[in-house]
Amino acid sequence: MAIQLRGGSGYHCALRSYPTGFPLNTLLLDANDLDDRQRALSLLRQGELVAVPTETVYGLAADARQPDAVAKIFAAKNRPANHPLIVHVAGVEALSAWADPVPQTALELAAAFWPGPLTLLLHKAPHVNSVVTGGRDTIGLRVPDHPVLLNLLRELDTGLAAPSANPHKQLSPTSAAQVLAGLGGRIAAVLDGGTCRVGLESTIVDLTTDTPRILRSGPLTRQQLEAVLGQPVLQPQQHEVAVAGNMKVHYQPRTPLYVLSRDELLDRLKQRAGARLAIVWYGSMPDSFDGSVVLSARTMPTDKAAYASALYRELHELDSLQADAILLERPPQDEDWLDVNDRLSKASASL
């Protein structure tokens, strides 16, 4: 694979091979460079795939009004065609172009939380191509809180279908380098807009029924949504609605990940003498821990927002060590931590 560098980012990527039929060159574009931003716009208009920064994770973007372009997303990610995509739009005024009807609850939540990490699931407008929605009559819509992507959306005057810019079921990327490591050679370009601030995927709220319900936990909590709507919001532990991220196994590093209590983790260390282990502690390392016996050990912040922002970055770094396993101390189980625990559950679900 050849990676062609543009702008001032200066990443270096190892050679890898990919199936025939994908582009040989993935451009690395600098979001701070006007020419590079125009190149990204041009590629999107031409129906090519460009990974773009959001405040949550990097998204793999295609013009949502070009079905052939959207189909490339599924091919590049190896994503099932019946797994719906989220469409990113420039503002609340675009809702009626993609959804019909637009309920009052959607307008209230959009006014409170857009731009931001909130996806609204609505009935799609009749003209919206089913390739975007995985063949369903609903569509997920969101206004991202990232100046680079918002400017792209305004100039394009369309919606961008943009799931996370990673191979299907693997760790979501929060940097351009992580996108290149996973999809380099399979997409036209990566627009480097820096590290994603929030670090976890958006909250998805279903507004197609009488009672709003959260279908994917995210940075915005049930209490925050209820405070705006003035009515209960359901949050089922399990559901069968097809939305982004609704799979038992998802967001996974290549290295086996085990989520354990502190006592369980210490016991596991005693049992795995000589193994190449990477350890992630919550808050601080225990006094009884001998860091010399593991490949890598690090701590995570106790503040939930800071933890979420760091999670994928830490897992990407540990995944690159080729350890036998990653042992992660289970964070708090409070409702505020539902999104973190949801991602960790799916990242370790096959074990």
Side-chain angles (χ1 to χ4, degrees):
M1 173 191 71
I3 297 289
Q4 181 176 345
L5 299 179
R6 292 176 59 87
S9 299
Y11 292 129
H12 298 279
C13 295
L15 293 178
R16 301 176 65 179
S17 59
Y18 289 98
T20 57
F22 289 109
L24 295 177
N25 295 293
T26 295
L27 299 176
L28 179 60
L29 307 176
D30 185 349
N32 295 314
D33 184 277
L34 177 59
D35 289 340
D36 277 9
R37 293 198 302 272
Q38 291 301 313
R39 183 65 180 274
L41 286 167
S42 177
L43 287 168
L44 289 166
R45 291 187 178 112
Q46 294 168 28
E48 300 296 343
L49 302 183
V50 179
V52 295
T54 81
E55 80 280 22
T56 57
V57 300
Y58 270 73
L60 183 56
D63 185 343
R65 289 180 175 162
Q66 298 187 45
D68 289 344
V70 174
K72 292 179 182 179
I73 292 176
F74 295 96
K77 286 175 59 72
N78 195 28
R79 180 187 177 106
N82 64 352
H83 200 51
L85 305 175
I86 292 172
V87 175
H88 296 66
V89 296
V92 64
E93 65 278 359
L95 277 176
S96 59
W98 298 93
D100 185 20
V102 177
Q104 181 63 28
T105 50
L107 298 176
E108 292 172 358
L109 290 177
F113 299 117
W114 278 358
L118 174 68
T119 295
L120 302 179
L121 187 70
L122 305 171
H123 291 290
K124 78 177 185 70
H127 66 270
V128 175
N129 195 289
S130 61
V131 69
V132 176
T133 64
R136 290 163 176 79
D137 63 359
T138 56
I139 186 169
L141 296 166
R142 153 170 133 82
V143 177
D145 189 14
H146 196 290
V148 171
L149 183 51
L150 283 174
N151 286 335
L152 289 180
L153 288 164
R154 292 174 186 131
E155 291 201 46
L156 288 167
D157 193 25
T158 186
L160 289 176
S164 56
N166 57 296
H168 184 53
K169 294 188 178 182
Q170 294 186 18
L171 281 174
S172 297
T174 57
S175 72
Q178 292 166 6
V179 177
L180 284 172
L183 293 178
R186 302 176 74 97
I187 64 178
V190 180
L191 184 60
D192 184 359
T195 302
C196 299
R197 171 174 51 86
V198 174
L200 287 185
E201 297 82 0
S202 61
T203 304
I204 298 180
V205 180
D206 180 9
L207 298 179
T208 64
T209 60
D210 291 339
T211 303
R213 55 179 174 162
I214 296 173
L215 300 182
R216 180 176 73 186
S217 298
L220 296 174
T221 66
R222 178 174 58 87
Q223 295 95 325
Q224 290 174 286
L225 301 172
E226 289 178 339
V228 170
L229 295 176
Q231 67 177 99
V233 174
L234 301 178
Q235 190 161 21
Q237 291 187 348
Q238 295 181 335
H239 63 84
E240 300 301 322
V241 182
V243 293
N246 183 30
M247 291 185 170
K248 181 180 178 181
V249 178
H250 213 5
Y251 315 114
Q252 293 204 326
R254 295 179 301 273
T255 307
L257 171 67
Y258 297 87
V259 181
L260 308 165
S261 70
R262 177 162 290 205
D263 288 343
E264 290 171 334
L265 205 161
L266 289 169
D267 287 342
R268 186 70 61 92
L269 283 174
K270 296 175 184 177
Q271 300 165 10
R272 297 289 296 272
R276 291 170 53 86
L277 299 176
I279 312 298
V280 184
W281 300 104
Y282 172 73
S284 62
M285 297 183 187
D287 293 337
S288 58
F289 171 64
D290 179 3
S292 66
V293 303
V294 300
L295 186 65
S296 176
R298 56 190 68 192
T299 61
M300 292 287 284
T302 57
D303 175 77
K304 186 264 173 180
Y307 189 109
S309 178
L311 179 59
Y312 286 147
R313 181 187 70 245
E314 295 292 340
L315 290 179
H316 272 284
E317 291 179 3
L318 293 176
D319 203 23
S320 69
L321 300 179
Q322 299 182 333
D324 296 326
I326 300 170
L327 308 184
L328 182 144
E329 183 180 359
R330 184 178 295 114
Q333 302 298 293
D334 302 343
E335 187 166 347
D336 288 348
W337 288 75
L338 279 174
D339 54 346
V340 167
N341 286 300
D342 170 76
R343 305 311 188 270
L344 289 175
S345 173
K346 291 172 179 176
S348 58
S350 63
L351 303 175

